[in-house]
Amino acid sequence: MPPGRAREILVVGAGIAGLYAACRLVRAGHRVRIIEKADYAGGRLFTVHDMKQGWQYEAGGARFHAGHARLSRLMAKLGVGRVPLPAGMQHVPRQGSIRDIEVDAALASFCNADITQTGVVATAHESSEVDAAAVTALQQEVGYDAEFNVSHVADCQRSVCNDLISKHPFFIVKEGYSAIIDRLVARLAKRGVAVELRAELLEFGNTPADPPRVRARVRKQTAGGEREEQENEYDDVILAIPPDAARAVTGFSEKIKDEWSRTLGSAPLMRIYAAWDAPTPWWAARAPRKTTVDRRRPGCEHIQFFIPLGHPRLAMASYSDGDTARWWQARAEEDASGASLRAHLTRELRAAFGEDIPEPAAVFPHYWPAGVHMFTPRPGPLAGVADRALVRRWARPDPGARVFVANEGFSYHHQWVEGSLESACRALRALAAADPGGA
């Protein structure tokens, strides 16, 4: 963000998109206020540290690959390290390579498709039923993924080729994703900007001034637990919140909100970590070489991933979304002790890896009701080109209001931190282009 005339800017949301945008704006000399509805910063990036056991794990975003350039550059600037996934633990499709999967015959009967060296890109399809059939064929070949059931085929294929099954090596964040959040918060604090927690934007609108400013009504929770509302004016507002939250803010037209409702969907996300008492992990002798568990195997319908985490007792035993996430959450709610969840998890692990798998001593579930975003099935020629046009327009949804949008849900890299940063950069470019003063 190049420096220019100092502006007063409200950033709504202290996930990585909002924090990154706020840091760029402050560095450019602008006056920034950043608010967050939750009682912590970071959103779906949340690292759990168990100092007693000596391990850490990610409750939300977990991994990234070397092709995620914005995240890699940010980590380098912040001095945050990365650790490669164990050798052989990349996501491997059943047939060895995404380029080896012969899906053209299956998809040809469902939609007009261009077969490219990076996979299948649907250029036209007639209905959501077409999407469902094409996605089912892709899911059967790749063995992934539950959210494909509610996403359109072009988005699925793009996600598979660019992110899920990438030629780039995959990593986890050495200190945990929360280290990135903490360092961004610290950078803002050094410049006198503190994240205001338990504060949310209720409404925005233009002021009668010329040029108009943005009138924003914010509700905050005080230290005593009381709620108070305040109204202030800003030059610009950046909404760095998920699509569902953005639709709840009063100010956007019904036309804009309807477009988001028609084109963007969400699904719940569940991560389950499991710990075993044995000092030598049972998986050491088996050396599983795929992150994907074969979902065709009877009795193993609800586990997508099994990933050892570099600690001899801890593994991410299940990563599920959509209906499977709801299924696991129901098991977790059956009893507070976690016995039901452990029993179901053990049964599916045994179906995947063998009957001698011991039951874990403890399980740690983390459920996000709207943890996954995607482009929804919709009729017409709506492949990747249309998706790109949408995300460009969403950077400033209403040309008549200086309100800009930045969130992974509004990006071209759904479900990845790279999407959050991509969207933040797009919003900052739109803000700069809209400012005649060169901000």
Side-chain angles (χ1 to χ4, degrees):
M1 183 87 189
R5 179 175 62 85
R7 302 182 66 82
E8 192 170 1
I9 302 172
L10 173 66
V11 177
V12 182
I16 192 167
L19 292 170
Y20 177 77
C23 285
R24 292 273 303 271
L25 291 166
V26 170
R27 189 175 62 191
H30 302 292
R31 298 184 297 276
V32 174
R33 179 189 183 190
I34 181 168
I35 62 174
E36 166 58 47
K37 182 178 180 180
D39 59 0
Y40 70 96
R44 284 167 291 150
L45 296 184
F46 185 76
T47 309
V48 178
H49 295 274
D50 190 320
M51 305 306 293
K52 181 178 179 181
Q53 299 291 345
W55 61 48
Q56 69 179 33
Y57 56 88
E58 303 286 2
R63 58 181 188 147
F64 67 99
H65 65 65
H68 292 162
R70 291 182 180 87
L71 177 58
S72 296
R73 288 195 297 268
L74 177 61
M75 290 174 61
K77 289 180 180 178
L78 296 176
V80 176
R82 65 185 190 181
V83 177
L85 287 178
M89 288 300 297
Q90 310 296 356
H91 187 117
V92 180
R94 291 195 180 95
Q95 305 203 23
S97 166
I98 187 65
R99 292 173 179 81
D100 298 331
I101 297 175
E102 296 181 1
V103 292
D104 51 328
L107 286 175
S109 62
F110 303 134
C111 60
N112 299 323
D114 289 337
I115 310 304
T116 71
Q117 63 176 354
T118 56
V120 178
V121 179
T123 56
H125 41 280
E126 299 302 325
S127 68
S128 59
E129 287 74 17
V130 168
D131 268 324
V135 167
T136 297
L138 182 63
Q139 185 178 22
Q140 289 175 346
E141 290 294 334
V142 181
Y144 192 98
D145 196 345
E147 77 260 15
F148 284 3
N149 295 331
V150 288
S151 181
H152 72 63
V153 66
D155 198 25
C156 294
Q157 185 64 21
R158 180 172 60 247
S159 181
V160 167
C161 295
N162 295 342
D163 292 315
L164 298 174
I165 305 176
S166 172
K167 62 184 178 180
H168 299 288
F170 281 83
F171 300 89
I172 58 176
V173 181
K174 183 177 181 180
E175 300 90 340
Y177 268 119
S178 286
I180 299 177
I181 299 299
D182 292 343
R183 295 182 192 188
L184 289 173
V185 170
R187 286 198 169 194
L188 288 173
K190 285 184 178 180
R191 292 180 176 268
V193 178
V195 177
E196 299 178 38
L197 301 176
R198 302 181 184 89
E200 61 178 316
L201 176 66
L202 300 178
E203 181 183 6
F204 70 85
N206 285 340
T207 68
D210 186 22
R213 304 184 81 207
V214 182
R215 172 185 49 80
R217 183 163 61 92
V218 171
R219 181 168 60 199
K220 293 185 61 175
Q221 183 173 324
T222 66
E226 299 177 351
R227 292 188 174 186
E228 62 179 24
E229 294 185 8
Q230 52 185 225
E231 190 170 293
N232 299 98
E233 294 182 7
Y234 302 90
D235 293 305
D236 309 280
V237 172
I238 294 181
L239 282 185
I241 54 180
D244 288 348
R247 285 196 294 266
V249 176
T250 300
F252 286 119
S253 69
E254 290 304 313
K255 179 180 179 181
I256 293 172
K257 293 183 178 182
D258 180 65
E259 181 178 69
W260 290 344
S261 297
R262 286 185 293 104
T263 56
L264 290 174
S266 64
L269 171 68
M270 170 68 92
R271 292 196 184 279
I272 303 176
Y273 294 87
W276 284 263
D277 284 336
T280 300
W282 59 263
W283 56 80
R286 289 171 172 79
R289 295 188 60 79
K290 291 195 291 185
T291 60
T292 303
V293 175
D294 192 342
R295 299 180 66 207
R296 295 184 194 176
R297 189 168 301 175
C300 186
E301 290 83 23
H302 302 100
I303 297 178
Q304 292 176 8
F305 285 152
F306 179 85
I307 306 179
L309 295 178
H311 189 281
R313 294 175 52 212
L314 187 68
M316 185 170 76
S318 178
Y319 172 113
S320 301
D321 44 50
D323 290 340
T324 55
R326 296 185 186 94
W327 189 91
W328 281 117
Q329 178 65 2
R331 304 292 79 75
E333 293 175 345
E334 287 176 351
D335 67 271
S337 70
S340 175
L341 188 60
R342 288 198 305 273
H344 284 287
L345 188 64
T346 301
R347 183 167 64 248
E348 296 214 4
L349 287 174
R350 287 173 178 171
F353 297 108
E355 288 300 321
D356 59 334
I357 302 301
E359 181 174 301
V363 291
F364 313 102
H366 296 272
Y367 182 71
W368 305 87
V372 174
H373 297 111
M374 73 290 292
F375 289 107
T376 55
R378 52 195 187 269
L382 293 168
V385 173
D387 293 341
R388 287 190 183 277
L390 288 174
V391 296
R392 285 196 296 268
R393 187 167 75 247
W394 289 338
R396 189 184 183 185
D398 182 356
R402 294 192 60 90
V403 178
F404 306 87
V405 171
N407 181 266
E408 163 268 327
F410 294 103
S411 80
Y412 204 59
H413 278 276
H414 284 149
Q415 308 160 42
W416 297 88
V417 175
E418 187 73 6
S420 298
L421 300 177
E422 167 204 297
S423 183
C425 290
R426 186 178 293 109
L428 292 174
R429 288 195 297 270
L431 190 156
D435 179 23

